[in-house]
Amino acid sequence: MLSPEPAKQPASLYEKRKAVFPKAVDGRFRRFKWLVMALTLGVYYITPWLRWDRGPYAPNQAVLVDLAHRRFYMFSIEIWPQEFYFVAGLLIMAGIGLFLITSAVGRAWCGYACPQTVWTDLFQHVDRLVDGDRNAQMRLEAAPWGPHKIFKRALKWTIYFVISFWTGGAWIMYFADAPTLTVDFWTGHAAGVAYATVGVLTATTFLLGGFMREQVCVYMCPWPRIQTAMLDEKSLIVTYKDWRGEPRGSVKKAEKNPGAVGDCVDCNQCVNVCPTGYDIRNGPDIRCITCALCIDACDSVMAQIGRPRGLIDYATLEDCKLEAEGQPPRPITKALFHTRTLIYTGVWAAIGFALLFALSARTRIDVAVQKDRNPPYTLQSNGEVRNDYTVKLRNMETRPRPMELTIEGLPGGVMWTDDTARDTASRSLKVMVAADRVEPLRVYVVAPDGTEPQHFKFVLKAKDAEGGGDTSEVRFDAPGEEE
């Protein structure tokens, strides 16, 4: 009797992670990554501690997101809530800048400046410091747990935690005065949200940079999928020149059979140094973050065996086709400056110039008027008509400024406030507006009997040497038909 066939197991959609142990390499691209990592980490950790003198009425932190007072400070620039279009413009410039970089040099952002790349690179250097280079890390990974391995793991993870905690702590410094918040944090007087933010950022940095690493780039991040749609034959990418490298063979095989094998000796150094463990010889792939460390590794091997560099290199697919046909590749400038990159550059520059113009032309004082709607007007016992307004005078300077508010139009109209008497009413008011503040005023405007409904203007002028002003047109309601 035949036994029943075992039921087929469904194919698993989950692939277990294969640990990646990148080998240390030296070369021009590795040195450039060192420079970018030092610059980006230095800017991130040091910037909150920089000071910038704005006078006695404003904070002296160079870069500060002051949520309590709804201000954003960046050195000499101060952004108010109604000027959020500056922030929106910067975000648009950042997006177009990413498009420009991708169009010109592929996934260079991912390979050099992305926070996930920078912190992963930092943690991988910690791995080499504690565990040794690639081979030592692999031996330790395969070794059974014992005192030596426990000590190594505890030391490495402690360093991970310190870096992660420092990363979370630096972030909250952008939202309050750094020295003050540091004291409050360690004495237990900081706000609960500060401790929660540090905890979340510490955990995410520890996990994403210390353990998930290339999985974030390959599976979690949407940007690689967007970038692949933006690349074309004119984009510079890290490329393996298969017409030159194939078929692969050792140096000895090449010596025995001249011309029978390519330049690739199949040493796998390009794979060993890759932070995602990808073999660039398989062609462009989402796992390649264009860090170019494989170029450094391959150039080093080519130099050792006396063959020309560039088996793996930055190149466009168009240039690769020309070079495979024996033609000289185009100059790098032509590869960088093609139609699409020039369009992106023009749009990016236009937005930048527009923001600079708006920043230089903006006024530092402002008047906003809200008319009372109920009742629209009040008839006085002597026949005069009164309208009530809430007037907000905004001083965006870091010093108090004397200002004068006047009425333009509305013949015979006068005004007064809650702080002045009715018999002192006039067509102008003098107000000292505090530094970096909005001064609200309740303003009462009366016009003579018989005044028709009409529009008039509140005119605000600064009375100091700097000057400046603003106007706001409003409606004056009265019995009768509007002009």
Side-chain angles (χ1 to χ4, degrees):
M1 183 176 181
L2 297 177
S3 60
E5 295 183 1
K8 294 183 178 180
Q9 296 295 326
S12 175
L13 299 179
Y14 173 76
E15 181 183 11
K16 185 178 180 181
R17 177 179 182 256
K18 298 175 183 177
V20 178
F21 304 97
K23 182 179 179 180
V25 64
D26 186 36
R28 51 180 177 163
F29 294 108
R30 174 63 263 182
R31 289 189 289 271
F32 183 65
K33 280 180 67 70
W34 274 114
L35 176 63
V36 174
M37 183 173 70
L39 180 63
T40 52
L41 291 177
V43 168
Y44 177 74
Y45 289 121
I46 295 174
T47 297
W49 298 93
L50 299 179
R51 303 292 100 182
W52 190 268
D53 186 12
R54 301 186 182 91
Y57 302 99
N60 67 343
Q61 187 162 307
V63 178
L64 176 65
V65 182
D66 189 353
L67 296 178
H69 299 96
R70 296 184 296 175
R71 303 285 188 276
F72 171 54
Y73 299 94
M74 180 179 288
F75 297 97
S76 61
I77 299 174
E78 178 184 355
I79 303 299
W80 285 53
Q82 72 274 11
E83 297 178 315
F84 191 78
Y85 55 85
F86 285 111
V87 178
L90 290 175
L91 292 176
I92 293 173
M93 287 186 67
I96 295 176
L98 283 176
F99 298 161
L100 171 61
I101 292 172
T102 302
S103 177
V105 289
R107 295 180 62 189
W109 162 261
C110 296
Y112 296 97
C114 172
Q116 175 66 20
T117 297
V118 172
W119 265 269
T120 296
D121 198 18
L122 177 61
F123 280 29
Q124 286 172 345
H125 289 305
V126 173
D127 293 345
R128 298 187 187 103
L129 176 66
V130 177
D131 297 339
D133 205 359
R134 171 182 166 84
N135 292 336
Q137 292 178 38
M138 295 175 68
R139 287 195 299 269
L140 185 63
E141 177 72 14
W145 284 94
H148 177 71
K149 185 172 182 177
I150 292 174
F151 171 77
K152 290 277 190 178
R153 288 291 185 263
L155 176 60
K156 183 172 69 173
W157 293 345
T158 299
I159 299 175
Y160 282 3
F161 178 79
V162 171
I163 294 173
S164 302
F165 181 78
W166 193 13
T167 301
W171 176 258
I172 65 173
M173 300 300 169
Y174 285 90
F175 297 88
D177 181 66
T180 304
L181 181 56
T182 300
V183 174
D184 290 344
F185 186 90
W186 290 108
T187 57
H189 295 99
V193 67
Y195 296 102
T197 302
V198 172
V200 170
L201 291 179
T202 299
T204 53
T205 305
F206 188 83
L207 290 174
L208 300 183
F211 298 94
M212 300 187 67
R213 296 187 178 179
E214 78 285 348
Q215 291 182 299
V216 176
C217 304
V218 177
Y219 300 112
M220 296 174 60
C221 181
W223 184 237
R225 278 83 181 167
I226 300 173
Q227 284 179 313
T228 53
M230 298 172 61
L231 296 174
D232 59 16
E233 293 80 2
K234 299 180 183 295
S235 301
L236 277 173
I237 57 175
V238 175
T239 305
Y240 169 66
K241 300 175 181 178
D242 55 350
W243 70 90
R244 176 183 155 188
E246 302 296 326
R248 306 170 195 174
S250 65
V251 175
K252 291 182 179 179
K253 186 176 181 180
E255 291 174 349
K256 292 179 180 179
N257 303 283
V261 296
D263 284 347
C264 180
V265 296
D266 208 16
C267 62
N268 280 334
Q269 292 303 305
C270 55
V271 183
N272 294 342
V273 302
C274 180
T276 67
Y278 179 65
D279 189 344
I280 190 61
R281 295 171 296 180
N282 293 332
D285 188 87
I286 199 171
R287 295 180 67 91
C288 175
I289 62 173
T290 319
C291 65
L293 295 182
C294 54
I295 298 178
D296 286 337
C298 188
D299 285 351
S300 176
V301 173
M302 291 297 106
Q304 293 173 18
I305 62 177
R307 296 178 184 176
R309 67 159 302 276
L311 178 59
I312 301 175
D313 206 357
Y314 269 109
T316 68
L317 295 181
E318 285 186 349
D319 289 340
C320 287
K321 184 177 180 181
L322 292 174
E323 194 172 345
E325 295 172 352
Q327 301 180 40
R330 295 178 302 165
I332 189 68
T333 52
K334 289 188 177 181
L336 287 173
F337 300 108
H338 52 83
T339 303
R340 189 163 61 171
T341 59
L342 292 177
I343 292 174
Y344 283 144
T345 302
V347 173
W348 184 87
I351 296 174
F353 282 123
L355 289 177
L356 288 176
F357 175 78
L359 192 64
S360 62
R362 66 176 180 168
T363 59
R364 305 299 292 166
I365 64 174
D366 178 66
V367 58
V369 182
Q370 178 72 43
K371 184 184 183 304
D372 286 4
R373 296 183 178 180
N374 189 21
Y377 61 87
T378 304
L379 291 175
Q380 307 296 294
S381 59
N382 59 0
E384 292 180 329
V385 183
R386 192 187 87 186
N387 282 206
D388 303 341
Y389 303 87
T390 299
V391 180
K392 294 182 178 180
L393 310 180
R394 181 179 290 111
N395 175 19
M396 299 171 66
E397 295 284 358
T398 56
R399 55 185 173 80
R401 300 189 70 184
M403 299 185 187
E404 184 178 35
L405 183 68
T406 60
I407 295 176
E408 185 178 287
L410 192 64
V414 294
M415 61 181 170
W416 74 96
T417 69
D418 285 336
D419 298 327
T420 58
R422 168 65 179 84
D423 54 8
T424 62
S426 65
R427 292 183 65 83
S428 66
L429 297 170
K430 290 186 170 136
V431 182
M432 178 66 74
V433 183
D436 200 32
R437 289 290 185 273
V438 175
E439 184 74 28
L441 298 175
R442 283 291 293 168
V443 177
Y444 308 101
V445 178
V446 296
D449 185 13
T451 299
E452 296 290 333
Q454 58 189 280
H455 287 80
F456 72 99
K457 294 180 180 178
F458 282 106
V459 180
L460 180 65
K461 292 183 180 179
K463 305 304 289 183
D464 53 12
E466 183 179 344
D470 191 27
T471 62
S472 179
E473 186 176 62
V474 294
R475 173 185 170 88
F476 185 86
D477 288 319
E481 297 183 358
E482 185 178 0
E483 294 180 349

Short mmCIF file of all heavy atoms in Angstrom, two decimals, residues 270-319:
data_model
loop_
_atom_site.label_atom_id
_atom_site.label_comp_id
_atom_site.label_asym_id
_atom_site.label_seq_id
_atom_site.Cartn_x
_atom_site.Cartn_y
_atom_site.Cartn_z
N CYS A 270 35.31 43.66 -3.44
CA CYS A 270 34.23 44.64 -3.63
C CYS A 270 33.00 44.28 -2.80
O CYS A 270 32.28 45.16 -2.31
CB CYS A 270 33.86 44.74 -5.11
SG CYS A 270 33.41 43.17 -5.88
N VAL A 271 32.77 42.98 -2.61
CA VAL A 271 31.65 42.53 -1.78
C VAL A 271 31.99 42.66 -0.30
O VAL A 271 31.14 43.07 0.51
CB VAL A 271 31.29 41.08 -2.12
CG1 VAL A 271 30.07 40.62 -1.32
CG2 VAL A 271 31.04 40.91 -3.61
N ASN A 272 33.22 42.35 0.05
CA ASN A 272 33.62 42.35 1.46
C ASN A 272 33.57 43.74 2.09
O ASN A 272 33.36 43.85 3.29
CB ASN A 272 35.03 41.77 1.60
CG ASN A 272 35.09 40.31 1.22
OD1 ASN A 272 34.07 39.62 1.17
ND2 ASN A 272 36.29 39.82 0.93
N VAL A 273 33.79 44.78 1.30
CA VAL A 273 33.80 46.13 1.87
C VAL A 273 32.44 46.80 1.81
O VAL A 273 32.23 47.86 2.42
CB VAL A 273 34.82 47.03 1.15
CG1 VAL A 273 36.22 46.44 1.24
CG2 VAL A 273 34.44 47.28 -0.31
N CYS A 274 31.48 46.20 1.10
CA CYS A 274 30.17 46.83 0.91
C CYS A 274 29.37 46.82 2.21
O CYS A 274 29.20 45.77 2.83
CB CYS A 274 29.39 46.10 -0.18
SG CYS A 274 27.75 46.81 -0.47
N PRO A 275 28.86 47.98 2.66
CA PRO A 275 28.10 48.02 3.92
C PRO A 275 26.76 47.30 3.85
O PRO A 275 26.17 47.01 4.89
CB PRO A 275 27.91 49.52 4.18
CG PRO A 275 28.08 50.16 2.86
CD PRO A 275 29.04 49.31 2.09
N THR A 276 26.26 47.00 2.65
CA THR A 276 25.03 46.22 2.54
C THR A 276 25.29 44.80 2.08
O THR A 276 24.35 44.00 1.94
CB THR A 276 24.05 46.89 1.54
OG1 THR A 276 24.60 46.83 0.22
CG2 THR A 276 23.79 48.33 1.91
N GLY A 277 26.56 44.46 1.80
CA GLY A 277 26.90 43.10 1.39
C GLY A 277 26.51 42.77 -0.03
O GLY A 277 26.40 41.59 -0.39
N TYR A 278 26.35 43.77 -0.88
CA TYR A 278 25.90 43.53 -2.25
C TYR A 278 27.10 43.34 -3.19
O TYR A 278 28.14 43.97 -3.02
CB TYR A 278 25.04 44.69 -2.75
CG TYR A 278 24.57 44.51 -4.17
CD1 TYR A 278 23.71 43.47 -4.50
CD2 TYR A 278 25.00 45.37 -5.18
CE1 TYR A 278 23.29 43.29 -5.81
CE2 TYR A 278 24.58 45.19 -6.49
CZ TYR A 278 23.72 44.15 -6.80
OH TYR A 278 23.31 43.97 -8.09
N ASP A 279 26.92 42.50 -4.18
CA ASP A 279 27.94 42.26 -5.20
C ASP A 279 27.63 43.16 -6.40
O ASP A 279 26.71 42.88 -7.17
CB ASP A 279 27.94 40.79 -5.62
CG ASP A 279 29.13 40.43 -6.52
OD1 ASP A 279 29.76 41.37 -7.06
OD2 ASP A 279 29.40 39.24 -6.69
N ILE A 280 28.39 44.22 -6.55
CA ILE A 280 28.13 45.20 -7.60
C ILE A 280 28.28 44.59 -8.99
O ILE A 280 27.75 45.11 -9.98
CB ILE A 280 29.06 46.42 -7.43
CG1 ILE A 280 28.64 47.58 -8.36
CG2 ILE A 280 30.51 46.04 -7.69
CD1 ILE A 280 27.26 48.11 -8.12
N ARG A 281 28.98 43.46 -9.08
CA ARG A 281 29.17 42.81 -10.38
C ARG A 281 27.87 42.24 -10.94
O ARG A 281 27.79 41.89 -12.11
CB ARG A 281 30.23 41.72 -10.26
CG ARG A 281 31.61 42.25 -9.91
CD ARG A 281 32.58 41.14 -9.60
NE ARG A 281 32.20 40.40 -8.40
CZ ARG A 281 32.87 39.36 -7.89
NH1 ARG A 281 33.98 38.97 -8.50
NH2 ARG A 281 32.45 38.75 -6.81
N ASN A 282 26.84 42.17 -10.10
CA ASN A 282 25.53 41.71 -10.58
C ASN A 282 24.73 42.82 -11.26
O ASN A 282 23.61 42.58 -11.72
CB ASN A 282 24.72 41.14 -9.42
CG ASN A 282 25.33 39.87 -8.87
OD1 ASN A 282 26.01 39.13 -9.60
ND2 ASN A 282 25.12 39.60 -7.58
N GLY A 283 25.28 44.04 -11.28
CA GLY A 283 24.59 45.15 -11.92
C GLY A 283 23.90 46.06 -10.92
O GLY A 283 23.88 45.79 -9.72
N PRO A 284 23.35 47.18 -11.39
CA PRO A 284 22.66 48.13 -10.49
C PRO A 284 21.54 47.45 -9.72
O PRO A 284 20.80 46.63 -10.27
CB PRO A 284 22.12 49.19 -11.45
CG PRO A 284 22.98 49.09 -12.67
CD PRO A 284 23.34 47.64 -12.79
N ASP A 285 21.42 47.80 -8.45
CA ASP A 285 20.41 47.17 -7.60
C ASP A 285 20.08 48.12 -6.46
O ASP A 285 20.87 49.00 -6.10
CB ASP A 285 20.93 45.84 -7.03
CG ASP A 285 19.85 45.06 -6.31
OD1 ASP A 285 19.12 44.30 -6.97
OD2 ASP A 285 19.74 45.23 -5.09
N ILE A 286 18.90 47.92 -5.88
CA ILE A 286 18.46 48.79 -4.78
C ILE A 286 19.36 48.65 -3.56
O ILE A 286 19.42 49.53 -2.71
CB ILE A 286 16.99 48.46 -4.43
CG1 ILE A 286 16.37 49.61 -3.65
CG2 ILE A 286 16.90 47.15 -3.65
CD1 ILE A 286 14.89 49.46 -3.45
N ARG A 287 20.10 47.54 -3.46
CA ARG A 287 20.99 47.34 -2.31
C ARG A 287 22.25 48.19 -2.42
O ARG A 287 22.95 48.38 -1.42
CB ARG A 287 21.38 45.86 -2.19
CG ARG A 287 20.22 44.95 -1.86
CD ARG A 287 20.68 43.51 -1.76
NE ARG A 287 21.55 43.31 -0.62
CZ ARG A 287 21.14 42.95 0.59
NH1 ARG A 287 19.86 42.73 0.82
NH2 ARG A 287 22.00 42.78 1.57
N CYS A 288 22.57 48.68 -3.61
CA CYS A 288 23.76 49.53 -3.78
C CYS A 288 23.41 50.96 -3.39
O CYS A 288 22.56 51.59 -4.02
CB CYS A 288 24.25 49.47 -5.23
SG CYS A 288 25.63 50.60 -5.55
N ILE A 289 24.07 51.48 -2.37
CA ILE A 289 23.80 52.84 -1.91
C ILE A 289 24.80 53.84 -2.48
O ILE A 289 24.85 54.99 -2.05
CB ILE A 289 23.80 52.92 -0.37
CG1 ILE A 289 25.18 52.54 0.20
CG2 ILE A 289 22.70 52.03 0.21
CD1 ILE A 289 25.29 52.75 1.70
N THR A 290 25.61 53.43 -3.44
CA THR A 290 26.54 54.31 -4.16
C THR A 290 27.55 54.96 -3.20
O THR A 290 27.88 56.13 -3.35
CB THR A 290 25.77 55.40 -4.94
OG1 THR A 290 24.63 54.82 -5.56
CG2 THR A 290 26.64 56.00 -6.04
N CYS A 291 28.04 54.20 -2.24
CA CYS A 291 29.06 54.73 -1.34
C CYS A 291 30.45 54.66 -1.96
O CYS A 291 31.39 55.31 -1.47
CB CYS A 291 29.05 53.98 -0.01
SG CYS A 291 29.51 52.24 -0.16
N ALA A 292 30.60 53.84 -3.01
CA ALA A 292 31.83 53.74 -3.81
C ALA A 292 32.99 53.09 -3.06
O ALA A 292 34.13 53.16 -3.53
CB ALA A 292 32.26 55.12 -4.32
N LEU A 293 32.75 52.45 -1.92
CA LEU A 293 33.84 51.76 -1.24
C LEU A 293 34.35 50.58 -2.08
O LEU A 293 35.53 50.23 -2.01
CB LEU A 293 33.37 51.26 0.13
CG LEU A 293 33.00 52.35 1.15
CD1 LEU A 293 32.60 51.71 2.47
CD2 LEU A 293 34.15 53.32 1.35
N CYS A 294 33.47 50.00 -2.90
CA CYS A 294 33.91 48.93 -3.79
C CYS A 294 34.90 49.45 -4.82
O CYS A 294 35.77 48.70 -5.29
CB CYS A 294 32.71 48.27 -4.46
SG CYS A 294 31.63 49.43 -5.34
N ILE A 295 34.78 50.72 -5.19
CA ILE A 295 35.74 51.31 -6.13
C ILE A 295 37.12 51.37 -5.48
O ILE A 295 38.14 51.01 -6.09
CB ILE A 295 35.28 52.71 -6.57
CG1 ILE A 295 33.94 52.64 -7.31
CG2 ILE A 295 36.34 53.38 -7.44
CD1 ILE A 295 33.40 53.98 -7.75
N ASP A 296 37.16 51.82 -4.21
CA ASP A 296 38.44 51.87 -3.50
C ASP A 296 39.07 50.48 -3.40
O ASP A 296 40.28 50.31 -3.62
CB ASP A 296 38.23 52.44 -2.09
CG ASP A 296 38.00 53.95 -2.10
OD1 ASP A 296 38.41 54.60 -3.07
OD2 ASP A 296 37.41 54.45 -1.12
N ALA A 297 38.24 49.48 -3.07
CA ALA A 297 38.77 48.11 -2.92
C ALA A 297 39.28 47.58 -4.25
O ALA A 297 40.37 47.00 -4.33
CB ALA A 297 37.68 47.20 -2.36
N CYS A 298 38.52 47.78 -5.30
CA CYS A 298 38.92 47.27 -6.61
C CYS A 298 40.15 48.00 -7.14
O CYS A 298 41.06 47.37 -7.71
CB CYS A 298 37.76 47.40 -7.59
SG CYS A 298 38.04 46.60 -9.17
N ASP A 299 40.20 49.32 -6.98
CA ASP A 299 41.38 50.07 -7.43
C ASP A 299 42.63 49.60 -6.72
O ASP A 299 43.72 49.53 -7.32
CB ASP A 299 41.16 51.57 -7.18
CG ASP A 299 40.19 52.19 -8.18
OD1 ASP A 299 39.82 51.50 -9.15
OD2 ASP A 299 39.80 53.36 -7.98
N SER A 300 42.49 49.27 -5.42
CA SER A 300 43.64 48.78 -4.66
C SER A 300 44.15 47.44 -5.22
O SER A 300 45.35 47.23 -5.37
CB SER A 300 43.26 48.63 -3.19
OG SER A 300 44.31 48.08 -2.45
N VAL A 301 43.21 46.55 -5.56
CA VAL A 301 43.60 45.26 -6.11
C VAL A 301 44.23 45.44 -7.49
O VAL A 301 45.26 44.82 -7.82
CB VAL A 301 42.38 44.33 -6.19
CG1 VAL A 301 42.73 43.03 -6.93
CG2 VAL A 301 41.87 44.00 -4.79
N MET A 302 43.64 46.30 -8.32
CA MET A 302 44.19 46.54 -9.66
C MET A 302 45.61 47.10 -9.57
O MET A 302 46.48 46.75 -10.39
CB MET A 302 43.29 47.51 -10.43
CG MET A 302 41.92 46.95 -10.81
SD MET A 302 41.97 45.54 -11.94
CE MET A 302 41.56 44.19 -10.81
N ALA A 303 45.85 47.98 -8.59
CA ALA A 303 47.19 48.54 -8.43
C ALA A 303 48.19 47.46 -8.02
O ALA A 303 49.35 47.47 -8.47
CB ALA A 303 47.16 49.67 -7.39
N GLN A 304 47.75 46.51 -7.20
CA GLN A 304 48.65 45.45 -6.74
C GLN A 304 49.03 44.48 -7.86
O GLN A 304 50.15 43.96 -7.88
CB GLN A 304 47.99 44.67 -5.60
CG GLN A 304 47.81 45.48 -4.32
CD GLN A 304 47.00 44.73 -3.27
OE1 GLN A 304 46.85 43.52 -3.35
NE2 GLN A 304 46.45 45.47 -2.30
N ILE A 305 48.13 44.27 -8.81
CA ILE A 305 48.43 43.30 -9.88
C ILE A 305 48.83 43.99 -11.18
O ILE A 305 48.98 43.33 -12.22
CB ILE A 305 47.22 42.37 -10.13
CG1 ILE A 305 46.00 43.18 -10.61
CG2 ILE A 305 46.88 41.59 -8.87
CD1 ILE A 305 44.79 42.31 -10.95
N GLY A 306 48.99 45.31 -11.11
CA GLY A 306 49.50 46.04 -12.27
C GLY A 306 48.52 46.23 -13.40
O GLY A 306 48.92 46.30 -14.57
N ARG A 307 47.24 46.33 -13.10
CA ARG A 307 46.23 46.58 -14.12
C ARG A 307 45.60 47.96 -13.91
O ARG A 307 45.59 48.47 -12.79
CB ARG A 307 45.16 45.48 -14.09
CG ARG A 307 45.73 44.11 -14.43
CD ARG A 307 44.69 43.01 -14.35
NE ARG A 307 45.30 41.70 -14.60
CZ ARG A 307 44.65 40.56 -14.51
NH1 ARG A 307 43.35 40.54 -14.19
NH2 ARG A 307 45.27 39.41 -14.76
N PRO A 308 45.07 48.56 -14.95
CA PRO A 308 44.53 49.92 -14.81
C PRO A 308 43.32 49.95 -13.89
O PRO A 308 42.53 49.00 -13.85
CB PRO A 308 44.16 50.30 -16.25
CG PRO A 308 44.02 49.01 -16.98
CD PRO A 308 44.98 48.06 -16.34
N ARG A 309 43.20 51.05 -13.17
CA ARG A 309 42.06 51.23 -12.26
C ARG A 309 40.79 51.43 -13.08
O ARG A 309 40.81 51.60 -14.30
CB ARG A 309 42.28 52.43 -11.35
CG ARG A 309 42.27 53.79 -12.08
CD ARG A 309 41.98 54.94 -11.14
NE ARG A 309 40.72 54.78 -10.46
CZ ARG A 309 39.53 55.12 -10.98
NH1 ARG A 309 39.45 55.59 -12.22
NH2 ARG A 309 38.44 54.96 -10.28
N GLY A 310 39.65 51.44 -12.36
CA GLY A 310 38.38 51.76 -13.01
C GLY A 310 37.57 50.57 -13.46
O GLY A 310 36.59 50.74 -14.19
N LEU A 311 37.96 49.34 -13.04
CA LEU A 311 37.11 48.19 -13.36
C LEU A 311 35.72 48.39 -12.75
O LEU A 311 34.70 48.06 -13.36
CB LEU A 311 37.76 46.91 -12.85
CG LEU A 311 36.97 45.61 -13.06
CD1 LEU A 311 36.70 45.37 -14.54
CD2 LEU A 311 37.71 44.43 -12.44
N ILE A 312 35.70 48.91 -11.54
CA ILE A 312 34.47 49.40 -10.92
C ILE A 312 34.65 50.90 -10.78
O ILE A 312 35.65 51.36 -10.22
CB ILE A 312 34.21 48.75 -9.55
CG1 ILE A 312 34.11 47.23 -9.68
CG2 ILE A 312 32.92 49.31 -8.93
CD1 ILE A 312 33.98 46.52 -8.34
N ASP A 313 33.69 51.68 -11.27
CA ASP A 313 33.90 53.12 -11.29
C ASP A 313 32.56 53.84 -11.36
O ASP A 313 31.51 53.24 -11.65
CB ASP A 313 34.76 53.51 -12.50
CG ASP A 313 35.52 54.80 -12.28
OD1 ASP A 313 35.34 55.42 -11.21
OD2 ASP A 313 36.30 55.19 -13.16
N TYR A 314 32.59 55.16 -11.08
CA TYR A 314 31.44 56.00 -11.36
C TYR A 314 31.36 56.19 -12.87
O TYR A 314 32.31 56.65 -13.50
CB TYR A 314 31.59 57.37 -10.70
CG TYR A 314 30.99 57.45 -9.31
CD1 TYR A 314 31.80 57.54 -8.19
CD2 TYR A 314 29.62 57.45 -9.13
CE1 TYR A 314 31.26 57.63 -6.92
CE2 TYR A 314 29.05 57.54 -7.87
CZ TYR A 314 29.89 57.63 -6.77
OH TYR A 314 29.34 57.72 -5.52
N ALA A 315 30.24 55.85 -13.47
CA ALA A 315 30.07 55.99 -14.91
C ALA A 315 28.58 55.98 -15.24
O ALA A 315 27.76 55.45 -14.49
CB ALA A 315 30.78 54.87 -15.66
N THR A 316 28.23 56.58 -16.37
CA THR A 316 26.86 56.51 -16.86
C THR A 316 26.73 55.29 -17.76
O THR A 316 27.72 54.79 -18.31
CB THR A 316 26.48 57.77 -17.65
OG1 THR A 316 27.23 57.81 -18.87
CG2 THR A 316 26.77 59.03 -16.84
N LEU A 317 25.51 54.81 -17.93
CA LEU A 317 25.30 53.67 -18.80
C LEU A 317 25.64 54.01 -20.25
O LEU A 317 26.09 53.16 -21.01
CB LEU A 317 23.84 53.19 -18.68
CG LEU A 317 23.44 52.64 -17.31
CD1 LEU A 317 21.99 52.18 -17.33
CD2 LEU A 317 24.35 51.50 -16.88
N GLU A 318 25.40 55.28 -20.62
CA GLU A 318 25.78 55.70 -21.97
C GLU A 318 27.28 55.62 -22.18
O GLU A 318 27.76 55.13 -23.21
CB GLU A 318 25.29 57.13 -22.23
CG GLU A 318 23.79 57.25 -22.48
CD GLU A 318 23.40 58.65 -22.88
OE1 GLU A 318 24.24 59.56 -22.77
OE2 GLU A 318 22.23 58.83 -23.30
N ASP A 319 28.05 56.10 -21.19
CA ASP A 319 29.51 56.05 -21.30
C ASP A 319 30.02 54.61 -21.28
O ASP A 319 31.02 54.29 -21.94
CB ASP A 319 30.15 56.86 -20.18
CG ASP A 319 29.95 58.35 -20.38
OD1 ASP A 319 29.67 58.75 -21.53
OD2 ASP A 319 30.06 59.11 -19.40
#
